[in-house]
Amino acid sequence: MSRIFEFDTADWETAFSGDQRGMALSEIEQGKVLYFPKLGFRIAENEKAFLSPATVGKSKNVSFDAVSGDLHGTGPAVADVEALRSLMARFASQASGLVAKLLPEYGAAAVQGRTSFRPVEAAGRASSWRKDDTRLHVDAFPSSPVQGRRLLRVFSNVNPEGRPRCWRLGEAFEPMAKRFLSSIPAPLPGSGPLLQFFGLTKSRRSAYDHYMLQLHDKMKADLAYQAEADQAPFDFPPSTTWMVFTDQASHAVMSGQFLLEQTFYLPVEAMRDPATSPLKILERLTGRVLV
Ligand code: SIN
Ligand code: FE
């Protein structure tokens, strides 16, 4: 089974054929990575100085909100904050254009989230096993519940030294969930509102968010699983772009430096086939309504 589906488009403004759009929709909803090996994000001459770990502070990522224009996480060494903001805004706009052209069925239902720039080497970056993205996982974040919405992410490797972003891609969502679900206790009644009340989550942690966080943790904590799960390495060279539902596709980043990433949130109802979503799969496997 291939985990990657390629497009040979070389330009962010390209229109896609109906066939390409149909394939993109069914492949990405099956959990595949849509890969654009000829589509690079161009860094201008005056932006090259940002390709340095000094661009970030302690947070290790620069984070940009395309809606408000807010930029966070820059280090004290960044002299021209406006130039960095404009780089982030350009990537945000090209990534959202790509999603709009390739997956027009999602339309306005795909809500643009944060844009991030990751200039720190991914190998050896983690401070704990839970934050260790070199371990296979599906994305779920403790303080940012999604209540079932999908996490769609667009990535571009902007490494200037010819170094790839080296990933591993794991097994499909359902067998992974089946393996771990029986070891996950149901959420404590009332825990969602309580976490929100004490400011530990930005919105209500639903039962869905509870199960996703637990799956994320169980996968990362299980070293036998990390070694033995069905998986394949995949290296994304510099000047390539890819897009994937990271809440569904098991992934890990083994190494690489200088990555741009754009997140979108998509309601399950906007999908062509909601049955392939982690929400519907987990509801079927647990026999419960989870949001
Ligand atoms: C991740 O989502 O686990 C990290 C992806 C990356 O930084 O390449
Ligand atoms: Fe991840």
Side-chain angles (χ1 to χ4, degrees), residues 268-279:
V268 163
E269 307 78 65
M271 296 175 63
R272 173 193 280 175
D273 185 4
T276 63
S277 67
L279 175 64

Side-chain angles (χ1 to χ4, degrees), residues 133 137 139 251:
D133 289 337
H137 63 283
D139 281 351
H251 61 282

Side-chain angles (χ1 to χ4, degrees), residues 214-226:
Q214 288 285 325
L215 288 172
H216 168 277
D217 289 0
K218 296 277 179 199
M219 291 174 82
K220 282 188 175 175
D222 188 336
L223 293 178
Y225 180 75
Q226 292 293 323

